[in-house]
Amino acid sequence: MFTQIALFAVSLLVLLTASRLLLTLWLWPRVRAAGRPWAIFRWGLRIDLNQLAMWAGIPALLAPWLADQPLAVTLTGLWLQLVWLLFVLLEISTPQFIQEYDSRPNRLYLDYLKYPKEVFGMLWKGYKLVLAAALVVLLLAGWAGHALFAQAAVNTLPAWPWRIVLTVLIAAAIVLAIRGTLGHRPVNPASVAWCGDSLLNTLPLNSLYNVLFALYAIKNERSAADVYGDLPDDVLQAIVCEQAHIPPGPPELPTLHHQPASAQPARPRNLVLIVQESLGAQYVGNLGGAGLTPCLDALAATGWNFTRAYATGTRSVRGLEAVTAGFPPTLSDAALRLTDAQSHFFTLAQLLRKHGYRSRFIYGGEAHFDNMKSFFLGNGFDELHDLPSFDAPAFVGTWGASDEDMFNKLHTLLSQPGAQPTLHLAFSVTNHTPWEYPAGRIAVQGEPATVQNTVRYADWAIGQFFERARASDYWRDTVFLVVADHDARVGGAQRIPLRHFHIPALIVGAGVEPRRDERIISQIDLPTTLLSLIGVSDAHPMIGHDLTHPHSGGRAMMQYEDHYGYLRGERLVVLEPQQAAHHFRYTAPDTYEPVAADPELENIALAHALWPTWAYRHQAHTLPELRRAGLA
């Protein structure tokens, strides 16, 4: 057992150091810009020793007493081989994960394991070579692990007094390695953060540690107060209401307020929310992007085009909670995935049901993904139309039916006769790895399976839909929102890479005059604005601004990994776990100038980081009748 553990310790430290070195060399331009690369390896050794002690600690403690038992040697060998393969798997997964998410494997790595069909389908179709290489490395690692850790001879045990001494010394070493420091707090990701680049701050970690820490951090649904600091409830509610330009509501529903509609149409207007997968401003021509969206650009010229709209996060569920529920981002998971938000939680569908609307969710994939089916059907949506309901789709890829199929379904539903007004939420799937779309629709440039070509196809599908919509009877009575859920592959050297939170957002249709709006806005401002445009006056708990008022807008908020950003004008506040806030003067698209702290703005940022958790736990993001039903 002693030999097995010693070989495992040396092998693991070599593996993790070599992986960290290769990642550092791969990311060298960013590492060089950040400075102090030695910090990666100094702190990395502490993290690796932490993991070594966690996984080999029990066999090491038992070795002075059981190393002469063949069964103990065999079981130790099996355990160490399993742990070895787990470390290897996470490290070889890391480069591709960084490519996609600009981070080491984290909580998202675990989240995707819940959907093996979609995820492994995506990997098989888009990354065959990567999978083949990973399999070869795993097989070689398995062979090496078996050779190193399985074939060990039994040891002669030391004399009794020395066994006790050895056990105490091993226990002390394990405790010190797990703590990683003699200081008050044990080592954690905040301890090893050494620069302003969130990806580089994960390099001292190893990927298994990062995943396990993310799993640990899920406890208590990740209280923002434990991470960023706290505010008294009365101060918290006062700040949030003041910044939302609303009077304080009742104590149990402090943001409940009556919003009068700016428009007064002769008949209720239909509302269509089109959420585009991964369509960042970097691709959109009229927003200064790559010019891959001529149809969207033409559409923007005919409607209310928000040129500085910002996503609240980097996941689809985050964008969906903002657009459909007006719920701000939080350190915890998105509302769609939280247990106590599966019913009696506010959505536009809940409110519009009171006004006679019928609500439908249309999605080209399978709606169980990311818990969308449970959340939407449990919170006011009457119908769900996902892949199984599509008749003879033109193309089905890894993530579901193509965008044109989704828009065909949406057009069919909108064309159905009926006096009842409707809310439609339509969520696209095409612009996602492995970049699949039907042939013959666009002029492909270069390699077909690229994000650039899927953006071109998604834009083509938008153009085709709106061409039909304008010629349809429902056009004159319908307001349409087109907005991205988030950008593709968000990353960068900044604590909050704002250029990757910049997204297209535009409103067209009945009663909407063309205008180019350059105010900073958040996704949470869109549902409140839409209520005003369709003529619905009612009480709700959303804290987004009604952008039909000239003095609204001017601020955005976003969650990025463990960082929370609050942008007001040109000032950006970034909150980080157990650290002082960072203050910047931000100039789009990518200039950050550190500035002196603004305590008032910092408190505003903190209040908005804390409020969603408070509202969720107190069932305060809801309507009075829904809250009563939920408490009954």
Side-chain angles (χ1 to χ4, degrees):
M1 287 177 71
F2 291 109
T3 303
Q4 290 169 300
I5 295 168
L7 284 172
F8 177 76
V10 172
S11 301
L12 185 63
L13 292 177
V14 169
L15 167 71
L16 297 178
T17 302
S19 175
R20 192 173 287 113
L21 176 61
L22 291 173
L23 291 173
T24 300
L25 293 174
W26 177 40
L27 299 167
W28 182 247
R30 288 171 67 169
V31 173
R32 181 175 55 192
R36 299 192 303 138
W38 54 268
I40 295 173
F41 299 94
R42 179 170 67 89
W43 283 107
L45 180 60
R46 295 193 186 187
I47 295 295
D48 295 346
L49 289 173
N50 168 283
Q51 288 295 281
L52 177 61
M54 291 284 292
W55 293 97
I58 292 178
L61 284 171
L62 294 176
W65 309 93
L66 299 176
D68 63 338
Q69 300 297 318
L71 179 59
V73 172
T74 299
L75 291 176
T76 298
L78 291 173
W79 171 249
L80 295 180
Q81 288 178 77
L82 177 63
V83 173
W84 168 255
L85 283 177
L86 191 58
F87 273 102
V88 172
L89 172 63
L90 267 294
E91 291 304 313
I92 63 176
S93 301
T94 298
Q96 190 60 47
F97 199 89
I98 289 176
Q99 280 281 96
E100 294 291 335
Y101 303 108
D102 208 54
S103 174
R104 275 190 184 270
N106 51 26
R107 177 176 175 172
L108 186 57
Y109 193 90
L110 298 173
D111 287 345
Y112 273 148
L113 292 180
K114 300 174 184 177
Y115 309 102
K117 176 183 174 183
E118 290 85 351
V119 172
F120 287 108
M122 173 189 71
L123 293 174
W124 177 248
K125 291 187 178 182
Y127 303 97
K128 290 186 177 68
L129 184 60
V130 173
L131 282 177
L135 181 60
V136 170
V137 173
L138 272 178
L139 290 173
L140 290 174
W143 171 80
H146 182 75
L148 289 169
F149 316 136
Q151 311 300 322
V154 297
N155 299 115
T156 302
L157 297 181
W160 273 93
W162 291 110
R163 293 188 208 177
I164 297 173
V165 172
L166 191 56
T167 301
V168 171
L169 290 175
I170 290 172
I174 289 171
V175 170
L176 181 60
I178 289 176
R179 285 187 55 79
T181 176
L182 294 175
H184 177 65
R185 292 180 179 274
V187 69
N188 59 46
S191 307
V192 305
W194 59 282
C195 68
D197 187 328
S198 59
L199 168 61
L200 299 189
N201 284 336
T202 67
L203 291 187
L205 311 175
N206 58 65
S207 293
L208 183 57
Y209 177 93
N210 209 40
V211 169
L212 293 175
F213 191 86
L215 183 63
Y216 166 79
I218 294 175
K219 71 182 190 307
N220 299 324
E221 291 175 336
R222 308 199 71 187
S223 168
D226 294 340
V227 175
Y228 303 132
D230 207 355
L231 288 172
D233 282 357
D234 58 339
V235 175
L236 167 66
Q237 304 302 340
I239 291 175
V240 169
C241 289
E242 180 184 10
Q243 297 303 310
H245 305 154
I246 60 176
E252 68 277 10
L253 297 173
T255 61
L256 183 70
H257 65 285
H258 186 272
Q259 179 188 328
S262 297
Q264 299 294 331
R267 53 174 294 176
R269 288 172 175 162
N270 303 313
L271 179 58
V272 177
L273 312 176
I274 298 173
V275 180
Q276 287 294 117
E277 172 70 52
S278 304
L279 186 62
Q282 63 173 311
Y283 306 115
V284 180
N286 81 86
L287 300 179
L292 305 179
T293 58
C295 296
L296 189 63
D297 294 337
L299 186 67
T302 70
W304 189 354
N305 186 26
F306 299 100
T307 63
R308 293 200 65 187
Y310 288 90
T312 57
T314 61
R315 292 289 314 281
S316 297
V317 284
R318 189 111 277 167
L320 289 170
E321 75 174 351
V323 172
T324 65
F327 198 60
T330 177
L331 186 65
S332 184
D333 214 335
L336 276 72
R337 300 166 61 91
L338 296 179
T339 303
D340 290 341
Q342 301 310 301
S343 62
H344 310 113
F345 193 83
F346 178 84
T347 65
L348 287 176
Q350 300 275 35
L351 181 65
L352 294 179
R353 174 178 282 177
K354 297 166 54 180
H355 295 264
Y357 280 70
R358 185 164 188 82
S359 299
R360 298 163 174 150
F361 174 48
I362 304 101
Y363 178 57
E366 295 184 3
H368 67 83
F369 186 77
D370 264 341
N371 212 50
M372 292 184 291
K373 181 178 182 179
S374 173
F375 179 82
F376 289 128
L377 290 182
N379 288 303
F381 282 80
D382 303 294
E383 301 175 21
L384 186 146
H385 302 266
D386 63 351
L387 179 59
S389 73
F390 284 33
D391 296 326
F395 179 86
V396 177
T398 301
W399 292 96
S402 66
D403 285 7
E404 65 190 79
D405 293 304
M406 183 274 288
F407 281 123
N408 287 338
K409 173 67 78 169
L410 174 60
H411 175 71
T412 299
L413 293 171
L414 285 168
S415 300
Q416 291 178 353
Q420 186 178 21
T422 59
L423 163 67
H424 289 82
L425 168 63
F427 182 28
S428 72
V429 302
T430 294
N431 192 35
H432 197 296
T433 52
W435 320 123
E436 299 169 300
Y437 52 93
R441 274 41 170 194
I442 61 169
V444 174
Q445 296 187 23
E447 168 63 33
T450 64
V451 62
Q452 289 79 14
N453 282 321
T454 53
V455 168
R456 291 185 179 98
Y457 168 75
D459 182 66
W460 174 88
I462 289 172
Q464 293 293 304
F465 169 73
F466 276 100
E467 186 177 324
R468 285 192 296 173
R470 287 184 186 278
S472 301
D473 290 340
Y474 60 75
W475 176 263
R476 65 179 180 270
D477 294 316
T478 304
V479 173
F480 299 83
L481 168 71
V482 181
V483 64
D485 55 355
H486 56 81
D487 194 4
R489 293 183 172 176
V490 176
Q494 301 79 22
R495 288 176 168 85
I496 300 285
L498 282 173
R499 67 187 180 94
H500 285 299
F501 284 82
H502 187 198
I503 57 170
L506 59 99
I507 302 172
V508 297
V512 179
E513 297 295 328
R515 60 181 292 196
R516 185 175 173 88
D517 194 329
E518 297 184 354
R519 287 176 292 178
I520 293 172
I521 72 160
S522 171
Q523 280 174 322
I524 68 167
D525 298 326
L526 297 171
T528 44
T529 304
L530 291 166
L531 286 177
S532 201
L533 291 175
I534 64 175
V536 171
S537 299
D538 207 335
H540 62 72
M542 295 187 289
I543 64 171
H545 292 172
D546 177 357
L547 298 170
T548 63
H549 297 295
H551 300 298
S552 58
R555 59 93 178 91
M557 57 207 74
M558 58 284 297
Q559 187 76 44
Y560 179 59
E561 302 290 348
D562 288 341
H563 297 173
Y564 183 89
Y566 191 90
L567 176 67
R568 186 174 73 180
E570 62 178 10
R571 294 294 296 262
L572 171 68
V573 178
V574 180
L575 306 179
E576 294 189 58
Q578 282 84 47
Q579 295 190 33
H582 298 270
H583 296 252
F584 302 93
R585 177 176 290 108
Y586 172 69
T587 305
D590 214 28
T591 301
Y592 299 77
E593 177 190 349
V595 294
D598 180 340
E600 179 187 4
L601 187 58
E602 187 174 321
N603 266 356
I604 291 172
L606 179 58
H608 285 85
L610 297 173
W611 186 83
T613 301
W614 185 96
Y616 170 72
R617 291 182 175 177
H618 290 82
Q619 298 184 38
H621 192 72
T622 188
L623 299 172
E625 61 271 25
L626 296 176
R627 190 172 192 275
R628 287 193 294 270
L631 296 176

